[in-house]
Every structure is written in structure tokens, then in C-alpha cells.
Amino acid sequence: MKPLLRLAGPVIVGYVGMMAMGVVDLLFVGRVSPVAVGAVGIGSAAFAWGLVFGIGILSSLDYFIPHAFGRGDREACRNYAIQGIWIATLVCLPLMVGMQWLSFRFGEMGVQPEVAESAGEVLRLLLWSLPPSLLFTVFRQYLQAMSEVRQAMWILLAANLVNAIGDYAFVFGKFGAPALGAVGTAWATLFSRTFTLVAIAWVVRSRERLSTWSPTPRWATMREIVRMGLPAGLYMLFEVGIFAFTTILAGRLDAVQLAAHQIVLNLASQTFMVPLGLGSAAAVLVGQSLGRGQYAEARMWGWRALTLGVGFAATFCAVFLLFPEVLLGAYTPDPEVLAAGM
């Protein structure tokens, strides 16, 4: 298990770090009002549709780049990363247009008016964080494919600090910033995600000359990446879409019920990041093994990751059942929200 855990550990920390930004957002707006919690929840859920679809399409890079690295073809590794950058850029355009349209439709979906207006503002700001998020994903996958995972982990941890400072400033109006409530979390998220892209691009630039990377789009390679990644993107779209849709439906109820729903969903999403990180690390090890032609070793990594993932999920299922008050109380002191979340 040691090679898997050594690779998976920083990957899991990175994934949890990505989700931790949403946790911190809720921790801050939970001190504002249930309406603010609901607005952040609906805006973030609608943004998640586009984000996970883009990440799903790019997920095939977790196979192609490690496979090329396993057979010693570094030029192919760079080529797949370049085509991933092109795909991320092209995918962003229609997704951002769709988010902009959706941001004005929450009221028509039955969301309470005071929540719908604020949620729309949150989404209209968050959509600008889609390009840096997807481009960061490509660079992270490029480094991760070569078992270099600690850089992305430290960047995401630093980004959480940037996000927390931004939340404190823009939610409560500190350091001379305006007090924006729920919308302030979107500004903090935008700054933190832009930071992740700049930081990881600097890391890649420091380890190799980006001037040697040919920016030419290769449509055959891009089709290959999309053909394998599109089913994963659609799967993730529908899976996350179910939870996003239920969050919007919860917006038809009162603000207390919506806030409770969003907090519980956030807790569940946090735990999901660990099996997801294990799966991502396993994909790298499987791809490298296949690139070397070691098929038995590839199967071994898959089964070991599955065993660890199921064990972790079962453990946190027990934690949820035994300590719900502790988990919910970290988000809000509101007794009505706590009672509904139980």
C-alpha cells in the first residue's frame, strides 16, 4: 500500500483543499444569516455543474499522460498537456454562457426571491473562476502524472489561506473592503482560484522551459482526449447535477431548510474527496504500469485503491451517525438550522 498512499496522500489533501474553500465560505456566511448560506449554496451548486463537466472531460489526461510517462515519452506528455489546455479553453466558453443565463433564472425555478437574487450575483462572479480552475487542473494532472504531487497540494493549501482572508475581508467588510455578505465569498473564491493557476504555472515553468512547448492545436489528439473524457464528464455532470438540482429545489423552501440542506451536502462532499483522490492516484499508477506493459501490477493498484476507498467511506458513515451535532455545530450556531440538519 505504501506507494499508493505516498502518491494518494498529497492528491487527497489537494482535493480536500479544493472543497475546503466551500467549507470556509459557509463557515463565514453561517455567521451572517440562513439566507446568505442558501445563496452561497445555490450559486456554488449551479457553478459545480460546469466545473465538474470540464474536469470530467479533462480526466482522461490522468490516463494518457501517465501512460506516455510510463513508456518514457516525455514529448508526448507535454503534447497531451498542451491539448488539454486547448480543450479547457474551448470548453469554458459555452459553459460560462450557460451559467450566465442560469444566474437570472433562479426565481423562475421557485427559489425564494431574497435568496434567488443573491445566488444569481454569486454565480455571475463564480463563472469567471472557471477558466483558472480548468487550466489549473491540466497543469496539476501533468505534474501528477509524473508522480509530482506535493506542489499542487501546497498551492491549494495556500489558496485556502487566500480564500479565508478574502472571505473575512469581503463578507464582513474588513481591511477597508465593502461588506458584501454572500457575494463576498464569490470574490474571495475568484481571487484564490486565480492564485492557484498563477502558482502552478510558475511551478511548471521553473522545472522546464515552456518556450519549448508548441502551442499548436492537434485536433486528432484533442478528439482522442475528449472521446475518452466525455463519458466521464457526462457521468460527473449527472451525478453532481442531482445534488445541485436538489439544492435549487430546497431553495423553494424557507431559508432555514435550505441552509441545513447545504451544510449537510457540504459535509458529504468533503468525505467524497478522499475516495476521489485515491481513484485519481490509482489512475496514475495504473497508467504508468500499462505504459510499462505490467498488466498484473495495474490490476493490483486498482483493487488496492478500491479497498481503501470503501474502508474510508464506511468509517465516515459511522462518524456521521455518531457525531452529527459536532459536525453541524462547526458551521452555524443557529438552533433552527441545527435541528433541520439533524
Side-chain angles (χ1 to χ4, degrees):
M1 292 289 188
K2 286 184 179 179
L4 176 60
L5 292 173
R6 189 163 48 244
L7 179 61
V11 176
I12 291 169
V13 172
Y15 276 124
V16 172
M18 292 173 65
M19 283 298 301
M21 294 182 192
V23 174
V24 172
D25 291 345
L26 288 179
L27 289 175
F28 276 99
V29 296
R31 271 61 187 172
V32 177
S33 69
V35 170
V37 174
V40 171
I42 289 178
S44 300
F47 175 78
W49 266 333
L51 178 63
V52 299
F53 179 67
I55 290 177
I57 290 177
L58 296 171
S59 66
S60 60
L61 293 175
D62 279 335
Y63 167 77
F64 288 115
I65 301 178
H67 193 279
F69 182 75
R71 65 175 185 266
D73 191 346
R74 296 296 292 270
E75 182 61 32
C77 293
R78 287 190 288 269
N79 178 52
Y80 279 119
I82 292 165
Q83 305 316 310
I85 292 171
W86 276 106
I87 292 169
T89 304
L90 294 173
V91 164
C92 278
L93 300 177
L95 290 177
M96 292 174 70
V97 170
M99 290 181 196
Q100 179 76 11
W101 176 85
L102 182 60
S103 70
F104 293 101
R105 300 294 181 274
F106 293 135
E108 298 173 13
M109 298 177 184
V111 176
Q112 296 297 321
E114 67 275 17
V115 177
E117 182 179 357
S118 186
E121 292 183 65
V122 169
L123 180 56
R124 284 190 290 276
L125 272 174
L126 283 179
L127 65 88
W128 292 104
S129 71
L130 183 64
S133 296
L134 293 186
L135 292 172
F136 170 81
T137 298
V138 174
F139 284 121
R140 176 186 60 78
Q141 289 171 303
Y142 177 71
L143 294 173
Q144 181 176 297
M146 293 173 280
S147 301
E148 297 182 19
V149 291
R150 295 188 180 276
Q151 298 95 326
M153 178 189 72
W154 288 115
I155 289 170
L156 285 168
L157 291 176
N160 273 274
L161 179 60
V162 173
N163 185 64
I165 295 172
D167 279 337
Y168 181 69
F170 290 109
V171 173
F172 300 131
K174 304 296 183 179
F175 308 129
L180 301 175
V183 178
T185 64
W187 280 110
T189 299
L190 177 59
F191 289 143
S192 61
R193 287 176 175 162
T194 302
F195 165 80
T196 62
L197 174 60
V198 173
I200 202 165
W202 181 84
V203 169
V204 174
R205 181 181 179 276
S206 67
R207 66 183 303 279
E208 52 185 272
R209 294 170 57 192
L210 292 181
S211 59
T212 62
W213 288 31
S214 171
T216 305
R218 299 183 181 180
W219 301 106
T221 303
M222 290 169 65
R223 283 195 297 271
E224 185 182 23
I225 294 170
V226 172
R227 186 165 54 247
M228 179 176 287
L230 183 58
L234 291 173
Y235 164 76
M236 294 176 71
L237 176 68
F238 292 133
E239 181 180 36
V240 173
I242 292 172
F243 298 107
F245 187 63
T246 57
T247 298
I248 294 174
L249 286 179
R252 301 167 69 95
L253 305 174
D254 61 78
V256 169
Q257 297 292 328
L258 173 58
H261 167 83
Q262 182 56 32
I263 290 171
V264 171
L265 184 61
N266 190 270
L267 284 167
S269 300
Q270 278 286 339
T271 59
F272 176 71
M273 290 299 104
V274 176
L276 182 64
L278 281 168
S280 185
V284 170
L285 293 172
V286 168
Q288 291 177 352
S289 297
L290 292 176
R292 295 190 295 266
Q294 297 174 343
Y295 303 107
E297 182 181 87
R299 284 193 296 272
M300 175 195 69
W301 291 130
W303 282 110
R304 288 184 177 178
L306 183 61
T307 301
L308 285 173
V310 171
F312 176 86
T315 300
F316 263 80
C317 178
V319 172
F320 281 1
L321 291 172
L322 294 173
F323 308 108
E325 302 94 339
V326 176
L327 297 173
L328 294 169
Y331 284 83
T332 178
D334 191 306
E336 292 184 280
V337 175
L338 291 174
M342 292 286 290

